Structures are given as C-alpha cells and as structure tokens.
Amino acid sequence: MNVSLSTDIRELPNYGPAKANRLSRLGLRTVRDALFFFPREYQEPPPPARIADLKQGQRAAFVGRITDVSLSSSTPGKSVYATVVENESGAVRMLFFNQPFRADSLTMDKTIRLIGSPKLTGLRWEFAHPEVEILEDGLHDPNPPATIVPVYPLVETVKQADVRGVVAAAIEHGLESVLEVMPEELRERAAGCLNGNHVEAGQALVGICAALREIHQPTASECLAAARLRLIFQELLVMQLALATRRRSLTTDLEATPLECSSRLRQRILRRFPFALTDDQTRVVDEIVADMRRQFPMNRMLQGDVGSGKTAVAFFAMLLAVAGKQQAALMAPTEVLARQHFHHLQRLMDGSRVRVGLLCGSLTTSERRQTLREIESGDLDLIIGTHALVYDVAFRSLALVVVDEQHRFGVRQRVQLRGGGKAPHYLVMSATPIPRTVAMTQFGDVALSVLREKPAGRIGVKTYLADDAWKSRWWGFVRERLSEGRQAYVVAPRVGELGFEARDDDEDDIASVTQTYRELKETQLSDYRVELLHGGMAPEDKQSVMDAFAEGEIEVLVSTTVIEVGIDVANATVMTILGANRFGLAQLHQLRGRVARGSHGGHVGVFVDGGKSPRDDERLVRFETTEDGFALAEADYQMRGPGDLLGRRQSGLPPLLIADLQRDQEVLGVARELAHELIEEDPDMSGPLLSLLRDQVFRRYGTRLELGDGA
Ligand code: ADP
Ligand code: MG
C-alpha cells in the first residue's frame, strides 16, 4: 500500500467512511493528523495493592482470582453482576450494574487485574465498574507487566479505542514517510545544551520516527520521556527561531543613528540628577549605552517594580540622544503622567539649552500647532506626550522612543513613529513584572533589562487586611498620619452616582468614589481637605486636582485607579483601598507603589465589599505578605494557572501542541539560547542545520510575527 502523510485515513485498511467521519470531528483526516495527534496524558496503572493498602475513593489496582459470581435481576432490564475477587491479602467485591454481558467473560476462577476507586461498604471493599483486564497466567505472577496507556483528548461519540486504532494504523503505514527536520548534528547540539542545563535528558535527542512511535505506544517511562523531550524541544525551538528572526528584523536589519557615550558625556549627564544612580540603574544604563552606540536600533524593555527608578534611566537615554543632536520622545499612558514627566525633565534641564515640549489633549489648537511646528523644525529636543498624540507627528530627527508603563498599551502593540529617515532606538518600560516564561515568548524578540534594587532610604510599605469592624480604627490611623503632615489616597473601584453609569442594584454593594468622598468629608476626615479624582472628569480639572495634591494643598485624594499609573507624590504615605476584591493583583501592587516612594514608610489598608473579610481571599493574603512585585506576579501567574491572560491563550502566538510553557520552562530557556546562536550563525536559515526547520518556522509563525513571506 502506498501511503504518504497526506493520505486520507479512509484509505487505510479497515477505515470506512463512518469511522473516518467520526474521527474528523477531532480534526483527524490524514495520516499526518493522526501521527501528530498527541495524547493528553498517560495512565500508568497503579501497582497492585493489598487489601490493607486500599483507601476510600483512591484509584488502585487489585489482582486476584474470581471466587464467586452472581447475576441477579430484580426488575426486567435491571441487573447486578456481583463477583468476589480474592488474593492472599483478602477479598474485594466487584460490581457491574445493567451489564449482564460481563457474566460471559468474567467467570469463575479467572485471574484478573481490576483498576478503580474502591468504596468501603460494610466490611468489604467494593469496586463498581472498574477497568478489568483478564490475565492469562497472572496467578503465578503477582506483578504483571504494567503498560503505559496513552489518553487522547476526545469529543463525544469518539472513543479512546477509535483514536488508538487510527494512530496505530498511521504508525504502521505512514511512519516511514515522516521527514526528519532536525538533522543528527542539530539534535546532538541540542542534547548537549539540554544536558548542560540539568534538564532530565538522555544522551541525544531521539529521531522523529522513534519519538512518534514512543509517544503513541510507550514502551517504558524513560523512553517516553525522551520521546516527549524531542517533540517538546522541536516545538519550542521552532517558536524561538521565529522570535529570533523577528528580533533581527527589528534590529540588525534596520539602520539607526549610533549614539556614542564618552565618559565625559556620562559625567555631564549624571551631574544633572539630584541623586546618584543606584548600582542597578548604572548597570541598566550601561546596557542601554551599549545598545545605542550601534548602527541598528535598540529594542529593549526595562522592567522594574514600582518605585525602582525607571524614569531616571529613561532620562539618561534621552539626554544621550540630545547630546548626539537628535530628538527623543517619551510617551506616557495618561496626561497626568505626561505632565509629571514634563515637569521633571524641565527641572532637570533647567539652565541648559535643551528644549522640552509637551503634547497632550488639553492643549489649545494653536498651542498644539506651535508645538508640532517646533518638533518638525527641530527646535524641541525632548518631547513628552500621551500615546495617541505623539502618533502622527513628523519629527525632524528622532533617535529614541521611550514608552512608559508599556503594560497599559497592550502586549504586542508597537509604536511606529516617523522621523528623520532612520529607525529610532526603542525603550519600553513596565512596572508589571513579566513572568519568565512570558518574557521568553511574547517578549522573546525584545532584550530585557531588570531593575531589582530600589533606591536606598526606602522604608517600604506595610499592608493591612482589615474587616469592616476595623474601619473606624483605620480612619483614626489615617487621621494621625494626616496630622503629622502626610497626605492620603483613598481608592474605590467605581465612580458611582454620575448618572451615566449603568444602574444595577447589585452595584450598591460596591464602594464608589463619590459616595466615599461625601462620607469622608462629612464624618471621619471632616477636618481635612478632601478632593475627588476620576476618569470622568475633564482633563484640566483632573490636572488641577493632581497639581493641588502634589503641592500639598489637598490632603486626601479620593479616586479611582486613575492614580494607579506612575504618580509620584512623596509626601503621600497612607492609602486606603476599598473593594479590593475588584482589583487584580498587579493593579493592587501598582496602587500600593504610590505610597512606597518617600522616606516615611507607607501604609495600605485593604477592605473588601459586602462586609466580608479580606482574609478569605487568597490573592489578598498574598498581597499582604509579599512586597516584592516580581514574586507577586509569579504567584499570581501560578494561582491563575493555565490559560491566564499573559500565559498561553492570549499570547498572540499560535497554540502549542505538546509543549507547556509553565511546565517546560527549562527546555524553553535552552531552546531560546540555541535559537539565538543558530540565527546568528545562519540568519536566513538556509544552511544544513536549519533549512528543513525553516519551513515550519514560517508556516506557524510567519503571519503572526510579520516575518514576511519567508521568500
Ligand atoms: P518608577 O520605576 O516606578 O517609574 P520612578 O522613576 O518614578 O519609579 O522613581 C521613584 C522615585 O525614586 C522618584 O521620586 C525618583 O526621584 C526616586 N529615585 C530614582 N532613582 C533614585 C536614586 N538613585 N536615588 C534616590 N532616589 C531615586
Ligand atoms: Mg514610572
């Protein structure tokens, strides 16, 4: 029989249209589909148990001889087939309801192995509807060989046996036609990297045919592990080759303005800062300096917990661009934040010739026109703006783009700015820590810098989970801080009472900003200047409230999460979060970051809606005990598990067939390193090691990652 991978399974022996139609519901149409339809899991039969080992409801195997049988039927159509199965440790009962045919095969004196979850009824263990296997000579062999059984993902009307059958036929007739896309030399090199990285690996990666056979028809658990490793590695290597290719196309394939940083220039820039950079900031500055001196654009992400001092690093890079007679742009997610950066930069550049411009929504038309002209003519050197506005600006000579709080803009969105013919260097900053696996996948094409250390002199934040019963004591505590001259934030999940919000009776339970504001003003905090801030306000109103808070004219700011991002008021040290159950962990951590800045030490009181205790919420307990944003993000990721936002589903990358990013992290790391080496050696993937994999890279990732047509 002449079978290729694209042969329809209907042409395999014993596969009529009916069976094939059923299998097509699983997407199994061709021999290739069947060979690459991987088991969801494997069942290893539990070792045969003794009576004394059995536990209520816990899957177990029992090997013994049938010593008693009875088939009884009380009403027509209903029956019970009950048997006693015995070995030297004792006897169990095995029951089948309404399956009288069982009496034909499970007869007296047969030795069987049954697998199921026993229940203790009276004094005897009972297995109802176990899996049963009749053993030929099991009587003399108390440990019959255990086979590992693949379990495939199914849909209704298709049985495990159907899938196992078609896979077996595909292996028998089609396995030989599978092309090995990883030549021996590549497999050896991969195995070398894997072994060096403590991944449990065999000596070499197995060949594709052996791997496929073992995946579907395992012979032993070590062989199965080796087969899985081969297939997992291949899948991750293909992904990482795609990402490495994309990284090249965003960097080495483009031309940027190289910007040199002499040590004199470095000193000149550093002298402008009111503080000395931390060692961590210095290290990251070095990384950026090394990137920006090259002929091709930097493509780097700076990750740092809230308050780690990312802004100073970004400003350094911007001043480096200006020293090279180029422009630099900084984009912020909100106008409030853009203005804050603008003011800081203006202060930093005080007394220099460097000109700083601001582009944001509240400019008048003529102000805006003027600013645009100055950007185009090159009169402005540093431009701060909100994201949307900076978009369609024509720069004269833009050499650097900084994107602050990148996580607000969505994962894969890249900003395309026009200016000066060359591609700008690109630095994105994020306070939302990215789990390692995500950094290696969605952000796999970006170089990563991490700020871990915070500037010295920070006392840190204390977080308190509080029941409603605690509220009046908490407000007392807030009042004390206020009377010491500090300021306070109060955050609630919704605005409330604006008229344009959907009224929903359920919502009455959710803390609202307007209501909280009124309450606090009239009662607990009536002696203090309390103001309101939320996204529904006009930009200039928001700004004047923010300014007044920054100046200390307002002592308490009652707000929605508009303050979440980047706001820096060192004198504000107490935060009350109401309805904390409505916020994500990352968001809570961002909020907390607002009071972790100064040298006074911050305090956060956390309340939940509906008179509940925040202690019942596992996430909030984590939030209280973990101050490190990175640890918190990892914990969040673990808790939410697979399918999470940053995890697998919305990653923007095609789904994986056999690899699991969380579980296979080590392998992922190895695949990533090897992919980078390989792409450096052979950027077009045309050499003997990669030419066959290249096809898979473009087929799977070409469109998603805009790799071009691969021609
Ligand atoms: P984030 O990383 O959250 O954007 P910022 O850049 O806003 O943090 O910095 C937080 C605060 O720390 C700011 O008030 C900033 O002036 C201060 N800061 C940054 N770097 C240092 C440093 N090396 N020494 C002292 N203070 C610093
Ligand atoms: Mg910031």
Side-chain angles (χ1 to χ4, degrees):
M1 190 185 167
N2 198 1
V3 170
S4 77
L5 290 184
S6 49
T7 299
D8 196 302
I9 56 178
R10 267 175 290 205
E11 291 169 31
L12 294 174
N14 303 327
Y15 278 83
K19 229 185 218 175
N21 267 345
R22 261 186 290 145
L23 287 165
S24 72
R25 290 193 200 153
L26 284 171
L28 302 180
R29 290 183 186 84
T30 62
V31 168
R32 179 192 283 108
D33 295 338
L35 286 174
F36 289 90
F37 190 68
F38 298 128
R40 172 165 55 82
E41 59 181 10
Y42 293 88
Q43 260 180 5
E44 302 215 19
R50 301 174 55 77
I51 294 284
D53 302 334
L54 295 177
K55 296 208 176 63
Q56 184 81 359
Q58 209 169 81
R59 208 171 113 87
F62 189 82
V63 176
R65 196 166 56 90
I66 299 180
T67 56
D68 190 20
V69 299
S70 81
L71 180 62
S72 56
S73 174
S74 47
T75 34
K78 305 237 174 205
S79 69
V80 186
Y81 184 55
T83 71
V84 175
V85 183
E86 226 177 303
N87 67 19
E88 63 296 338
S89 76
V92 300
R93 265 155 64 86
M94 172 171 72
L95 300 171
F96 293 95
F97 300 97
N98 307 326
Q99 295 189 352
F101 59 88
R102 295 283 185 173
D104 302 338
S105 55
L106 302 174
T107 49
M108 277 297 282
D109 287 332
K110 285 260 169 69
T111 297
I112 61 169
R113 171 171 56 194
L114 55 93
I115 299 177
S117 306
K119 256 184 11 202
L120 193 58
T121 337
L123 289 175
R124 189 153 275 187
W125 288 100
E126 249 177 38
F127 287 80
H129 293 241
E131 299 163 41
V132 190
E133 190 185 346
I134 298 170
L135 305 173
E136 304 303 338
D137 52 0
L139 190 55
H140 309 292
D141 179 4
N143 284 308
T147 45
I148 306 170
V149 185
V151 181
Y152 294 91
L154 293 183
V155 292
E156 253 180 284
T157 74
V158 184
K159 296 202 199 67
Q160 288 294 342
D162 294 336
V163 180
R164 287 179 197 144
V166 76
V167 168
I171 288 176
E172 187 181 336
H173 301 285
L175 192 59
E176 295 306 308
S177 17
V178 176
L179 178 71
E180 175 59 271
V181 289
M182 290 180 74
E184 177 117 34
E185 194 189 331
L186 178 59
R187 278 186 279 138
E188 272 168 16
R189 195 158 148 191
C193 301
L194 285 165
N195 291 336
N197 276 274
H198 311 290
V199 175
E200 276 182 51
Q203 304 310 307
L205 280 187
V206 252
I208 187 67
C209 291
L212 285 175
R213 186 187 289 279
E214 185 69 27
I215 270 282
H216 293 295
Q217 299 168 347
T219 55
S221 52
E222 311 83 69
C223 302
L224 176 59
R228 287 176 51 81
L229 181 63
R230 145 75 205 230
L231 293 165
I232 288 168
F233 189 82
Q234 178 179 333
E235 187 165 47
L236 295 175
L237 183 65
V238 166
M239 169 204 253
Q240 292 297 329
L241 285 170
L243 287 164
T245 303
R246 177 173 152 94
R247 181 167 170 182
R248 267 189 78 90
S249 76
L250 292 174
T251 54
T252 14
D253 293 353
L254 296 174
E255 200 188 333
T257 310
L259 294 156
E260 269 302 333
C261 186
S262 65
S263 60
R264 254 189 70 227
L265 175 55
R266 178 190 285 252
Q267 288 317 314
R268 227 172 72 212
I269 296 177
L270 289 179
R271 266 202 303 275
R272 294 218 157 252
F273 289 100
F275 42 70
L277 294 191
T278 63
D279 290 350
D280 241 18
Q281 283 170 322
T282 304
R283 181 179 47 77
V284 173
V285 161
D286 288 343
E287 289 168 353
I288 289 173
V289 164
D291 278 2
M292 286 176 63
R293 73 194 309 171
R294 296 187 299 202
Q295 312 275 349
F296 53 87
M298 162 168 79
N299 184 24
R300 185 169 285 279
M301 165 171 281
L302 170 54
Q303 225 185 298
D305 204 354
V306 280
S308 59
K310 297 185 288 295
T311 317
V313 172
F315 285 1
F316 187 102
M318 294 172 78
L319 295 191
L320 183 56
V322 172
K325 310 232 168 345
Q326 305 289 314
Q327 291 172 308
L330 169 60
M331 290 191 286
T334 64
E335 174 150 354
V336 168
L337 199 56
R339 279 184 186 277
Q340 181 178 293
H341 284 318
F342 175 65
H343 291 308
H344 282 170
L345 257 185
Q346 271 194 323
R347 219 180 305 145
L348 200 66
M349 299 324 296
D350 212 20
S352 79
R353 272 172 316 198
V354 174
R355 291 201 52 208
V356 189
L358 175 70
L359 255 189
C360 59
S362 60
L363 295 185
T364 64
T365 316
S366 69
E367 281 171 333
R368 178 174 160 75
R369 225 178 270 141
Q370 165 83 8
T371 307
L372 288 174
R373 254 200 313 275
E374 289 176 348
I375 295 175
E376 214 162 331
S377 68
D379 285 346
L380 287 177
D381 305 293
L382 299 174
I383 297 92
I384 317 297
T386 44
H387 187 253
L389 287 165
V390 177
Y391 241 107
D392 36 40
V393 176
F395 291 84
R396 181 182 166 83
S397 56
L398 182 67
L400 170 70
V401 175
V402 180
V403 182
D404 194 14
E405 309 288 347
Q406 141 84 24
H407 59 281
R408 303 279 293 194
F409 298 127
V411 177
R412 281 222 76 89
Q413 187 179 351
R414 271 185 71 88
V415 192
Q416 236 86 62
L417 294 186
R418 290 182 292 138
K422 293 192 177 170
H425 296 286
Y426 195 77
L427 176 68
V428 303
M429 308 201 284
S430 177
T432 301
I434 303 165
R436 211 168 83 86
T437 52
V438 180
M440 286 192 285
T441 52
Q442 278 110 290
F443 293 102
D445 49 10
V446 179
L448 193 64
S449 290
V450 182
L451 283 179
R452 288 198 170 268
E453 174 195 1
K454 299 206 174 158
R458 297 281 169 74
I459 294 178
V461 207
K462 287 210 171 57
T463 304
Y464 314 91
L465 299 189
D467 295 344
D468 278 356
W470 247 67
K471 255 195 185 142
S472 71
R473 276 169 72 190
W474 172 255
W475 292 124
F477 176 80
V478 173
R479 275 197 305 274
E480 269 172 48
R481 301 285 82 74
L482 291 171
S483 66
E484 287 168 7
R486 304 284 80 78
Q487 289 163 281
Y489 296 103
V490 179
V491 183
R494 68 178 185 120
V495 179
E497 299 174 34
L498 277 184
F500 56 74
E501 269 189 320
R503 287 299 303 167
D504 179 342
D505 286 342
D506 290 349
E507 283 207 346
D508 287 344
D509 275 353
I510 307 174
S512 87
V513 170
T514 20
Q515 196 193 338
T516 306
Y517 165 70
R518 219 179 302 124
E519 244 177 65
L520 290 177
K521 224 172 138 76
E522 282 163 16
T523 57
Q524 288 96 339
L525 303 181
S526 57
D527 301 340
Y528 297 94
R529 282 157 298 173
V530 184
E531 262 311 333
L532 195 62
L533 182 73
H534 58 74
M537 292 163 51
E540 49 292 4
D541 294 343
K542 269 193 286 193
Q543 193 55 48
S544 65
V545 170
M546 264 323 296
D547 289 345
F549 190 67
E551 295 301 320
E553 291 156 19
I554 293 171
E555 290 153 307
V556 182
L557 196 59
V558 183
S559 125
T560 53
T561 52
V562 290
I563 60 146
E564 172 198 336
V565 169
I567 286 184
D568 188 11
V569 178
N571 191 47
T573 61
V574 208
M575 175 177 284
T576 309
I577 304 179
L578 303 171
N581 46 321
R582 318 238 162 221
F583 299 117
L585 261 186
Q587 207 175 15
L588 288 168
H589 186 67
Q590 281 271 326
L591 285 169
R592 172 163 69 182
R594 300 313 106 210
V595 293
R597 320 217 126 206
S599 48
H600 296 289
H603 301 274
V604 179
V606 177
F607 297 86
V608 297
D609 291 327
K612 296 203 191 68
S613 167
R615 301 226 157 260
D616 296 339
D617 187 330
E618 193 193 346
R619 285 176 336 118
L620 295 179
V621 172
R622 287 285 182 138
F623 177 60
E624 183 190 37
T625 49
T626 315
E627 209 187 307
D628 176 352
F630 283 70
L632 206 57
E634 276 303 336
D636 197 21
Y637 189 57
Q638 303 287 351
M639 262 185 289
R640 282 188 292 172
D644 123 72
L645 176 75
L646 281 174
R648 296 159 218 207
R649 229 182 357 227
Q650 297 186 20
S651 67
L653 299 173
L656 297 165
L657 297 181
I658 187 164
D660 176 315
L661 296 178
Q662 198 64 29
R663 183 196 60 206
D664 302 323
Q665 277 193 40
E666 301 282 341
V667 184
L668 177 62
V670 176
R672 174 171 161 77
E673 293 220 342
L674 183 60
H676 278 97
E677 275 174 34
L678 291 167
I679 290 295
E680 285 306 307
E681 294 164 21
D682 178 13
D684 305 325
M685 296 188 263
S686 55
L689 289 190
L690 298 183
S691 60
L692 294 170
L693 272 178
R694 182 177 187 279
D695 205 40
Q696 297 203 355
V697 171
F698 280 93
R699 197 151 22 88
R700 277 180 76 67
Y701 293 93
T703 342
R704 305 280 184 120
L705 292 182
E706 294 161 23
L707 296 181
D709 59 3

mmCIF file of all heavy atoms in Angstrom, residues 275-278 281 304-312 404-405 455-456 458 566 568 594 597, ligand 1:
data_model
loop_
_atom_site.group_PDB
_atom_site.id
_atom_site.type_symbol
_atom_site.label_atom_id
_atom_site.label_comp_id
_atom_site.label_asym_id
_atom_site.label_seq_id
_atom_site.Cartn_x
_atom_site.Cartn_y
_atom_site.Cartn_z
ATOM 1 N N PHE A 275 20.396 62.944 42.522
ATOM 2 C CA PHE A 275 20.849 61.803 43.333
ATOM 3 C C PHE A 275 21.846 61.009 42.514
ATOM 4 O O PHE A 275 21.955 61.173 41.306
ATOM 5 C CB PHE A 275 19.666 60.913 43.742
ATOM 6 C CG PHE A 275 18.676 60.687 42.623
ATOM 7 C CD1 PHE A 275 19.005 59.898 41.526
ATOM 8 C CD2 PHE A 275 17.405 61.273 42.665
ATOM 9 C CE1 PHE A 275 18.103 59.693 40.497
ATOM 10 C CE2 PHE A 275 16.498 61.080 41.629
ATOM 11 C CZ PHE A 275 16.850 60.287 40.544
ATOM 12 N N ALA A 276 22.591 60.135 43.198
ATOM 13 C CA ALA A 276 23.486 59.226 42.477
ATOM 14 C C ALA A 276 22.676 58.014 42.045
ATOM 15 O O ALA A 276 21.818 57.540 42.796
ATOM 16 C CB ALA A 276 24.623 58.799 43.391
ATOM 17 N N LEU A 277 22.934 57.509 40.857
ATOM 18 C CA LEU A 277 22.208 56.318 40.414
ATOM 19 C C LEU A 277 22.573 55.129 41.295
ATOM 20 O O LEU A 277 23.701 55.023 41.777
ATOM 21 C CB LEU A 277 22.553 55.986 38.960
ATOM 22 C CG LEU A 277 22.129 56.976 37.879
ATOM 23 C CD1 LEU A 277 22.324 56.355 36.493
ATOM 24 C CD2 LEU A 277 20.679 57.400 38.055
ATOM 25 N N THR A 278 21.625 54.240 41.488
ATOM 26 C CA THR A 278 21.935 53.006 42.211
ATOM 27 C C THR A 278 22.781 52.112 41.299
ATOM 28 O O THR A 278 22.877 52.352 40.092
ATOM 29 C CB THR A 278 20.650 52.248 42.561
ATOM 30 O OG1 THR A 278 20.006 51.867 41.339
ATOM 31 C CG2 THR A 278 19.689 53.092 43.380
ATOM 32 N N GLN A 281 20.644 50.788 38.548
ATOM 33 C CA GLN A 281 20.378 51.774 37.496
ATOM 34 C C GLN A 281 21.616 51.944 36.611
ATOM 35 O O GLN A 281 21.506 52.019 35.392
ATOM 36 C CB GLN A 281 19.986 53.127 38.115
ATOM 37 C CG GLN A 281 18.550 53.166 38.636
ATOM 38 C CD GLN A 281 18.277 54.419 39.464
ATOM 39 O OE1 GLN A 281 19.133 54.872 40.226
ATOM 40 N NE2 GLN A 281 17.084 54.973 39.317
ATOM 41 N N GLY A 304 10.877 47.088 35.940
ATOM 42 C CA GLY A 304 11.297 47.406 37.295
ATOM 43 C C GLY A 304 10.075 47.645 38.132
ATOM 44 O O GLY A 304 9.120 48.292 37.694
ATOM 45 N N ASP A 305 10.102 47.135 39.336
ATOM 46 C CA ASP A 305 8.980 47.291 40.240
ATOM 47 C C ASP A 305 8.672 48.780 40.422
ATOM 48 O O ASP A 305 9.529 49.626 40.178
ATOM 49 C CB ASP A 305 9.359 46.655 41.580
ATOM 50 C CG ASP A 305 8.126 46.253 42.366
ATOM 51 O OD1 ASP A 305 7.008 46.578 41.920
ATOM 52 O OD2 ASP A 305 8.289 45.624 43.425
ATOM 53 N N VAL A 306 7.450 49.069 40.836
ATOM 54 C CA VAL A 306 7.096 50.461 41.076
ATOM 55 C C VAL A 306 8.096 51.079 42.042
ATOM 56 O O VAL A 306 8.453 50.479 43.043
ATOM 57 C CB VAL A 306 5.667 50.594 41.663
ATOM 58 C CG1 VAL A 306 4.647 50.493 40.558
ATOM 59 C CG2 VAL A 306 5.398 49.531 42.707
ATOM 60 N N GLY A 307 8.533 52.267 41.704
ATOM 61 C CA GLY A 307 9.461 52.977 42.578
ATOM 62 C C GLY A 307 10.903 52.567 42.421
ATOM 63 O O GLY A 307 11.759 52.988 43.190
ATOM 64 N N SER A 308 11.214 51.750 41.446
ATOM 65 C CA SER A 308 12.595 51.299 41.294
ATOM 66 C C SER A 308 13.445 52.337 40.569
ATOM 67 O O SER A 308 14.648 52.178 40.459
ATOM 68 C CB SER A 308 12.637 49.954 40.568
ATOM 69 O OG SER A 308 12.047 50.064 39.300
ATOM 70 N N GLY A 309 12.810 53.377 40.060
ATOM 71 C CA GLY A 309 13.592 54.459 39.447
ATOM 72 C C GLY A 309 13.846 54.276 37.961
ATOM 73 O O GLY A 309 14.936 54.552 37.468
ATOM 74 N N LYS A 310 12.830 53.836 37.245
ATOM 75 C CA LYS A 310 12.979 53.644 35.805
ATOM 76 C C LYS A 310 13.129 54.984 35.081
ATOM 77 O O LYS A 310 13.827 55.077 34.085
ATOM 78 C CB LYS A 310 11.764 52.885 35.241
ATOM 79 C CG LYS A 310 11.619 51.477 35.811
ATOM 80 C CD LYS A 310 10.486 50.732 35.146
ATOM 81 C CE LYS A 310 9.107 51.235 35.551
ATOM 82 N NZ LYS A 310 8.783 51.022 36.971
ATOM 83 N N THR A 311 12.431 56.004 35.610
ATOM 84 C CA THR A 311 12.426 57.285 34.908
ATOM 85 C C THR A 311 13.830 57.847 34.737
ATOM 86 O O THR A 311 14.176 58.344 33.660
ATOM 87 C CB THR A 311 11.569 58.308 35.697
ATOM 88 O OG1 THR A 311 10.387 57.641 36.138
ATOM 89 C CG2 THR A 311 11.187 59.469 34.837
ATOM 90 N N ALA A 312 14.640 57.765 35.777
ATOM 91 C CA ALA A 312 15.988 58.324 35.698
ATOM 92 C C ALA A 312 16.779 57.637 34.584
ATOM 93 O O ALA A 312 17.521 58.279 33.839
ATOM 94 C CB ALA A 312 16.702 58.158 37.043
ATOM 95 N N ASP A 404 6.545 54.689 28.394
ATOM 96 C CA ASP A 404 6.426 54.425 29.833
ATOM 97 C C ASP A 404 5.185 53.585 30.094
ATOM 98 O O ASP A 404 4.183 53.714 29.400
ATOM 99 C CB ASP A 404 6.332 55.757 30.585
ATOM 100 C CG ASP A 404 6.559 55.575 32.085
ATOM 101 O OD1 ASP A 404 7.043 54.490 32.484
ATOM 102 O OD2 ASP A 404 6.259 56.508 32.849
ATOM 103 N N GLU A 405 5.265 52.748 31.105
ATOM 104 C CA GLU A 405 4.123 51.919 31.512
ATOM 105 C C GLU A 405 3.524 51.179 30.330
ATOM 106 O O GLU A 405 2.329 51.221 30.072
ATOM 107 C CB GLU A 405 3.054 52.770 32.200
ATOM 108 C CG GLU A 405 3.573 53.641 33.328
ATOM 109 C CD GLU A 405 3.947 52.865 34.575
ATOM 110 O OE1 GLU A 405 3.591 51.669 34.684
ATOM 111 O OE2 GLU A 405 4.608 53.435 35.453
ATOM 112 N N PRO A 455 16.016 52.431 45.134
ATOM 113 C CA PRO A 455 16.913 53.447 45.694
ATOM 114 C C PRO A 455 16.942 53.340 47.216
ATOM 115 O O PRO A 455 15.925 53.018 47.839
ATOM 116 C CB PRO A 455 16.273 54.756 45.246
ATOM 117 C CG PRO A 455 15.515 54.424 44.017
ATOM 118 C CD PRO A 455 15.046 53.019 44.210
ATOM 119 N N ALA A 456 18.120 53.612 47.795
ATOM 120 C CA ALA A 456 18.289 53.452 49.236
ATOM 121 C C ALA A 456 17.379 54.412 49.996
ATOM 122 O O ALA A 456 16.862 55.371 49.447
ATOM 123 C CB ALA A 456 19.751 53.713 49.602
ATOM 124 N N ARG A 458 14.531 53.769 51.376
ATOM 125 C CA ARG A 458 13.104 53.476 51.362
ATOM 126 C C ARG A 458 12.772 52.590 52.563
ATOM 127 O O ARG A 458 13.449 51.603 52.806
ATOM 128 C CB ARG A 458 12.732 52.693 50.094
ATOM 129 C CG ARG A 458 12.970 53.453 48.835
ATOM 130 C CD ARG A 458 11.862 54.452 48.590
ATOM 131 N NE ARG A 458 12.223 55.365 47.519
ATOM 132 C CZ ARG A 458 12.236 55.017 46.254
ATOM 133 N NH1 ARG A 458 11.892 53.790 45.914
ATOM 134 N NH2 ARG A 458 12.589 55.867 45.327
ATOM 135 N N GLY A 566 2.081 55.434 37.881
ATOM 136 C CA GLY A 566 3.250 56.307 37.915
ATOM 137 C C GLY A 566 3.236 57.576 38.739
ATOM 138 O O GLY A 566 4.251 58.243 38.844
ATOM 139 N N ASP A 568 3.721 60.331 41.385
ATOM 140 C CA ASP A 568 4.819 60.374 42.328
ATOM 141 C C ASP A 568 4.665 61.567 43.272
ATOM 142 O O ASP A 568 5.059 62.672 42.961
ATOM 143 C CB ASP A 568 6.119 60.481 41.507
ATOM 144 C CG ASP A 568 7.343 60.336 42.392
ATOM 145 O OD1 ASP A 568 7.184 59.945 43.565
ATOM 146 O OD2 ASP A 568 8.444 60.604 41.903
ATOM 147 N N ARG A 594 2.215 53.733 44.989
ATOM 148 C CA ARG A 594 2.081 55.189 45.155
ATOM 149 C C ARG A 594 2.535 55.647 46.523
ATOM 150 O O ARG A 594 2.895 56.806 46.681
ATOM 151 C CB ARG A 594 0.616 55.642 44.975
ATOM 152 C CG ARG A 594 -0.067 55.376 43.659
ATOM 153 C CD ARG A 594 0.762 55.764 42.493
ATOM 154 N NE ARG A 594 1.279 54.558 41.866
ATOM 155 C CZ ARG A 594 2.418 54.463 41.219
ATOM 156 N NH1 ARG A 594 3.195 55.488 41.125
ATOM 157 N NH2 ARG A 594 2.795 53.336 40.674
ATOM 158 N N ARG A 597 7.074 55.492 48.118
ATOM 159 C CA ARG A 597 8.107 56.268 47.447
ATOM 160 C C ARG A 597 9.019 57.046 48.386
ATOM 161 O O ARG A 597 10.216 57.039 48.222
ATOM 162 C CB ARG A 597 7.462 57.251 46.492
ATOM 163 C CG ARG A 597 6.310 56.678 45.763
ATOM 164 C CD ARG A 597 6.265 57.180 44.365
ATOM 165 N NE ARG A 597 6.230 56.054 43.473
ATOM 166 C CZ ARG A 597 6.657 56.074 42.233
ATOM 167 N NH1 ARG A 597 7.185 57.166 41.753
ATOM 168 N NH2 ARG A 597 6.581 55.006 41.493
HETATM 169 P P1 ADP B 1 9.233 54.001 38.652
HETATM 170 O O1 ADP B 1 10.260 52.957 38.350
HETATM 171 O O2 ADP B 1 8.067 53.440 39.401
HETATM 172 O O3 ADP B 1 8.845 54.796 37.439
HETATM 173 P P2 ADP B 1 10.368 56.492 39.456
HETATM 174 O O4 ADP B 1 11.294 56.603 38.330
HETATM 175 O O5 ADP B 1 9.144 57.335 39.436
HETATM 176 O O6 ADP B 1 9.947 54.982 39.668
HETATM 177 O O7 ADP B 1 11.198 56.738 40.778
HETATM 178 C C1 ADP B 1 10.611 56.698 42.042
HETATM 179 C C2 ADP B 1 11.226 57.735 42.963
HETATM 180 O O8 ADP B 1 12.564 57.394 43.268
HETATM 181 C C3 ADP B 1 11.264 59.102 42.354
HETATM 182 O O9 ADP B 1 10.869 60.029 43.337
HETATM 183 C C4 ADP B 1 12.727 59.305 41.994
HETATM 184 O O10 ADP B 1 13.088 60.650 42.041
HETATM 185 C C5 ADP B 1 13.422 58.495 43.043
HETATM 186 N N1 ADP B 1 14.720 57.957 42.621
HETATM 187 C C6 ADP B 1 15.006 57.339 41.452
HETATM 188 N N2 ADP B 1 16.285 56.945 41.417
HETATM 189 C C7 ADP B 1 16.837 57.305 42.606
HETATM 190 C C8 ADP B 1 18.148 57.167 43.169
HETATM 191 N N3 ADP B 1 19.141 56.577 42.510
HETATM 192 N N4 ADP B 1 18.328 57.660 44.426
HETATM 193 C C9 ADP B 1 17.312 58.237 45.091
HETATM 194 N N5 ADP B 1 16.092 58.424 44.616
HETATM 195 C C10 ADP B 1 15.825 57.948 43.385
#
